[in-house]
Amino acid sequence: MSTPKNSTDRNFRVLSIAIMFALFFMIAFVTGYQNPLGTVIKGLAGDNTALSQLGNLANFIAYAVMGFPAGKLLERHGYRITSLAAVTVGFVGVLITFLSGFITENNTLTISIYLIGAFISGFSMCMLNTVVNPMLNSLGRDQRQGNQLIQFGGMCNSLGATLAPVIVGYLIGGQASSIASANGVFYMAMAIFAVAAVVIYASELQESPDLGKEKESLKVKDVLAFSNLRFGLLAIFCYVGIEVGIANWNTQYLVDHFEAIGQKADATTIAGAVVGVYWLLMLVGRLVGGIVGGMVSSRAMLTTTAALLTVLVSAAICVSGTDVPFISFSSADMSIQTVQVPLNAILLVLCGLCTSVMWGAIFNLAVEGLGRFTSLASGLFMVMVCGGGILPFLQGYVSTNILSSFWLIAGLGIYLLIYALLLSKPDKKAQKEKGAFA
């Protein structure tokens, strides 16, 4: 008896959605483990705190290099080929990172190979980001369901970001001098990429009806004529730097704090658990943002969150000498324990509620009125994700004190507030001159 066509289509659709959700998870997980591994790089680099961000920098700089090529690959070859290429590149990147842990005689060589792995992994993350959002949107039966699938995908992304620092922090424990201590994470990442590659290769992902068709050639200079987009690109650059910088430097701050008070064995584990809550709050914020998104404008959402983030970060810098109880884990047996965590770190963790909804709000404001230029603007947005590597790296050099370096984050928050209030207004003049809706 043959399988009914509608049943086959339903199974095909469910499988495609499951693959995209898994890839959403991997984007955050592979990006997220660069953060706790920064503690290892710091040790290998002679306890140079600023160099702890090298892996993160390499991972995000790849977006600037791969942003447009990834879009072209998707446009010419479709979801299946682009996804397959992305997971293959991701496997290679994680494998190189894994192999760097076996070089123990030469720290410079270890770091160099690790950075090559992080850079190649960044290529994969950029390619996957290019695929998963439009793919999930197309899998929805209508625009509303497509957006709903993207929100669920965002939850998988947040879950990956939450688990990465917790798991890697636990695995490293007191062995912060060894990349190989996180081998369990590399095994898992490579296994997921390998399974995804087999499934994608054996399946026929739904393709865009426009695949293979000639498209209008648009120029970057035309889309940059829109002032709300120009300032919006800078805003997204700043936003990703804020999101990553808070997590990464809060981790380093906590590791230094617990090592200073004689808890070196559990320093990375506790830091991972605390920063994991930051990513968890981003998941919560996205859920709330999805609920209220239809009732609150993007401008109001960005204004509120940018102002609150600036206040929280400023307070975190100014508050000192106060600890609060926090639930963490013991690196020895993964048992739950209560530890005293600096209030500064908790205030920074709370910023996750603010950063959770900023991407969508900035994107909506930046592309308002762009019409046919929106797809090109999306490609530019992907390039500007490199701010997640550049700004946290720069943060390591703006101050000799980790806590005071967060003034850079506060300043970036102020820019986002200015963008929301003044710089994000649709450019009516450019719309008319460029024929955005032609």
Side-chain angles (χ1 to χ4, degrees), residues 213-232:
K213 294 181 180 179
E214 288 292 329
K215 295 186 178 180
E216 179 186 9
S217 179
L218 301 175
K219 296 180 180 179
V220 172
K221 67 177 184 179
D222 290 328
V223 74
L224 290 179
F226 296 84
S227 62
N228 56 311
L229 176 68
R230 289 198 307 272
F231 293 121

Side-chain angles (χ1 to χ4, degrees), residues 205-273:
L205 293 178
Q206 178 177 316
E207 297 291 355
S208 168
D210 295 326
L211 180 62
K213 294 181 180 179
E214 288 292 329
K215 295 186 178 180
E216 179 186 9
S217 179
L218 301 175
K219 296 180 180 179
V220 172
K221 67 177 184 179
D222 290 328
V223 74
L224 290 179
F226 296 84
S227 62
N228 56 311
L229 176 68
R230 289 198 307 272
F231 293 121
L233 291 172
L234 179 57
I236 213 69
F237 180 85
C238 294
Y239 157 70
V240 185
I242 289 171
E243 178 191 301
V244 178
I246 289 175
N248 288 12
W249 283 109
N250 201 12
T251 298
Q252 295 302 318
Y253 172 67
L254 286 167
V255 169
D256 287 355
H257 170 79
F258 286 106
E259 286 182 349
I261 62 175
Q263 292 182 251
K264 184 173 182 179
D266 282 334
T268 308
T269 304
I270 297 171

Side-chain angles (χ1 to χ4, degrees), residues 197-366:
V198 172
V199 173
I200 292 170
Y201 180 80
S203 64
E204 290 291 336
L205 293 178
Q206 178 177 316
E207 297 291 355
S208 168
D210 295 326
L211 180 62
K213 294 181 180 179
E214 288 292 329
K215 295 186 178 180
E216 179 186 9
S217 179
L218 301 175
K219 296 180 180 179
V220 172
K221 67 177 184 179
D222 290 328
V223 74
L224 290 179
F226 296 84
S227 62
N228 56 311
L229 176 68
R230 289 198 307 272
F231 293 121
L233 291 172
L234 179 57
I236 213 69
F237 180 85
C238 294
Y239 157 70
V240 185
I242 289 171
E243 178 191 301
V244 178
I246 289 175
N248 288 12
W249 283 109
N250 201 12
T251 298
Q252 295 302 318
Y253 172 67
L254 286 167
V255 169
D256 287 355
H257 170 79
F258 286 106
E259 286 182 349
I261 62 175
Q263 292 182 251
K264 184 173 182 179
D266 282 334
T268 308
T269 304
I270 297 171
V274 174
V275 175
V277 175
Y278 169 82
W279 298 110
L280 182 62
L281 289 178
M282 284 192 66
L283 187 155
V284 173
R286 284 170 177 165
L287 282 174
V288 175
I291 294 171
V292 305
M295 301 177 283
V296 179
S297 70
S298 295
R299 182 166 287 101
M301 190 175 289
L302 182 59
T303 299
T304 302
T305 53
L308 180 58
L309 179 138
T310 304
V311 170
L312 286 171
V313 173
S314 301
I317 298 169
C318 297
V319 173
S320 62
T322 303
D323 292 346
V324 295
F326 187 85
I327 295 176
S328 185
F329 309 99
S330 168
S331 60
D333 55 8
M334 203 56 180
S335 61
I336 297 176
Q337 61 179 1
T338 301
V339 295
Q340 294 293 314
V341 175
L343 179 59
N344 322 68
I346 301 302
L347 290 172
L348 292 172
V349 164
L350 292 176
C351 291
L353 290 170
C354 302
T355 55
S356 61
V357 297
M358 285 181 169
W359 175 282
I362 294 171
F363 183 84
N364 287 340
L365 292 171

Side-chain angles (χ1 to χ4, degrees), residues 16-341:
S16 297
I17 292 172
I19 293 172
M20 291 303 111
F21 282 179
L23 296 183
F24 244 126
F25 177 90
M26 288 308 299
I27 290 170
F29 190 82
V30 174
T31 302
Y33 72 54
Q34 306 296 340
N35 179 8
L37 281 177
T39 303
V40 177
I41 300 303
K42 172 187 171 184
L44 295 176
D47 284 331
N48 187 319
T49 302
L51 296 185
S52 67
Q53 300 302 305
L54 281 176
N56 180 68
L57 176 64
N59 195 258
F60 277 96
I61 283 294
Y63 280 81
V65 178
M66 197 64 191
F68 275 115
K72 290 295 183 182
L73 182 65
L74 178 62
E75 181 180 323
R76 293 176 182 175
H77 299 287
Y79 296 124
R80 181 173 178 271
I81 296 299
T82 307
S83 298
L84 190 59
V87 296
T88 302
V89 171
F91 182 92
V92 172
V94 176
L95 177 62
I96 293 174
T97 303
F98 165 72
L99 293 175
S100 71
F102 289 90
I103 302 172
T104 56
E105 298 82 11
N106 188 322
N107 287 353
T108 301
L109 182 59
T110 301
I111 294 173
S112 298
I113 294 176
Y114 167 78
L115 292 178
I116 292 172
F119 186 64
I120 293 175
S121 295
F123 278 161
S124 174
M125 300 309 101
C126 180
M127 294 165 72
L128 290 175
N129 264 307
T130 304
V131 170
V132 293
N133 286 288
M135 180 68 190
L136 281 178
N137 191 53
S138 70
L139 286 168
R141 293 190 176 91
D142 52 38
Q143 186 180 39
R144 182 177 178 181
Q145 191 177 75
N147 181 58
Q148 187 178 41
L149 288 175
I150 291 175
Q151 296 304 320
F152 284 131
M155 291 173 61
C156 294
N157 187 269
S158 294
L159 180 61
T162 300
L163 292 177
V166 176
I167 294 175
V168 178
Y170 166 67
L171 289 173
I172 293 175
Q175 307 175 59
S177 61
S178 171
I179 291 175
S181 60
N183 278 350
V185 171
F186 304 141
Y187 292 142
M188 184 178 76
M190 286 188 289
I192 293 176
F193 277 135
V195 171
V198 172
V199 173
I200 292 170
Y201 180 80
S203 64
E204 290 291 336
L205 293 178
Q206 178 177 316
E207 297 291 355
S208 168
D210 295 326
L211 180 62
K213 294 181 180 179
E214 288 292 329
K215 295 186 178 180
E216 179 186 9
S217 179
L218 301 175
K219 296 180 180 179
V220 172
K221 67 177 184 179
D222 290 328
V223 74
L224 290 179
F226 296 84
S227 62
N228 56 311
L229 176 68
R230 289 198 307 272
F231 293 121
L233 291 172
L234 179 57
I236 213 69
F237 180 85
C238 294
Y239 157 70
V240 185
I242 289 171
E243 178 191 301
V244 178
I246 289 175
N248 288 12
W249 283 109
N250 201 12
T251 298
Q252 295 302 318
Y253 172 67
L254 286 167
V255 169
D256 287 355
H257 170 79
F258 286 106
E259 286 182 349
I261 62 175
Q263 292 182 251
K264 184 173 182 179
D266 282 334
T268 308
T269 304
I270 297 171
V274 174
V275 175
V277 175
Y278 169 82
W279 298 110
L280 182 62
L281 289 178
M282 284 192 66
L283 187 155
V284 173
R286 284 170 177 165
L287 282 174
V288 175
I291 294 171
V292 305
M295 301 177 283
V296 179
S297 70
S298 295
R299 182 166 287 101
M301 190 175 289
L302 182 59
T303 299
T304 302
T305 53
L308 180 58
L309 179 138
T310 304
V311 170
L312 286 171
V313 173
S314 301
I317 298 169
C318 297
V319 173
S320 62
T322 303
D323 292 346
V324 295
F326 187 85
I327 295 176
S328 185
F329 309 99
S330 168
S331 60
D333 55 8
M334 203 56 180
S335 61
I336 297 176
Q337 61 179 1
T338 301
V339 295
Q340 294 293 314
V341 175

